[in-house]
């Protein structure tokens, strides 16, 4: 939807920066290839990485949609604790490396 112009408008070119954990790097690269193959006219580039600094460098808009999944036997507070550490490192990287006006 972002690459089709639904999120930012039909005339806004985008470069997607996608971040995932190292064990998912191969799948992430597959998503990148599918995006490129789809030839969305607004998609001007794709950065697919497991490096939080690379993913956050120069971004103008950050949409954080991931997190640690709750597993059997985990209490809610355990999941929250893991997700806080994930989002804290990403927020720190955004603060240091994203565009000054990042939303």
């Amino acid at each position: 939807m972002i690459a089709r112009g639904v999120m930012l408008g039909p005339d806004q070119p985008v470069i997607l920066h996608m971040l995932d954990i190292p064990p998912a790097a191969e799948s992430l690269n597959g998503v990148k290839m599918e995006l490129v193959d789809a030839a969305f006219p607004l998609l001007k580039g794709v950065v697919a990485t497991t490096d939080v600094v690379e993913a956050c460098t120069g971004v103008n808009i950050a949409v954080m949609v991931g997190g640690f999944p709750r597993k059997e036997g985990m209490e809610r507070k355990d999941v929250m604790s893991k997700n806080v550490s994930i989002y804290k490192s990403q927020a720190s990287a955004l603060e240091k490396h994203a565009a000054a006006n990042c939303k």
Side-chain angles (χ1 to χ4, degrees):
M1 292 178 77
I2 296 170
R4 286 195 331 240
V6 176
M7 181 175 166
L8 301 173
D11 299 320
Q12 179 60 57
V14 295
I15 300 171
L16 295 177
H17 289 227
M18 302 183 302
L19 173 68
D20 212 330
I21 58 175
E26 190 173 328
S27 294
L28 181 63
N29 196 44
V31 171
K32 176 183 177 177
M33 289 188 297
E34 287 190 25
L35 284 165
V36 171
D37 287 348
F40 294 105
L42 295 175
L43 187 61
K44 301 303 177 192
V46 180
V47 175
T49 184
T50 60
D51 178 19
V52 69
V53 171
E54 182 181 8
C56 293
T57 298
V59 299
N60 297 98
I61 297 173
V63 180
M64 301 168 84
V65 295
F68 190 86
R70 188 172 184 176
K71 297 186 177 184
E72 190 174 329
M74 290 181 78
E75 292 186 21
R76 183 173 170 80
K77 67 179 181 177
D78 300 326
V79 176
M80 293 297 290
S81 176
K82 284 197 169 281
N83 283 325
V84 164
S85 67
I86 292 167
Y87 283 123
K88 194 172 185 179
S89 73
Q90 292 174 1
S92 177
L94 283 168
E95 186 175 43
K96 292 177 186 171
H97 304 284
N101 63 347
C102 181
K103 295 179 189 313

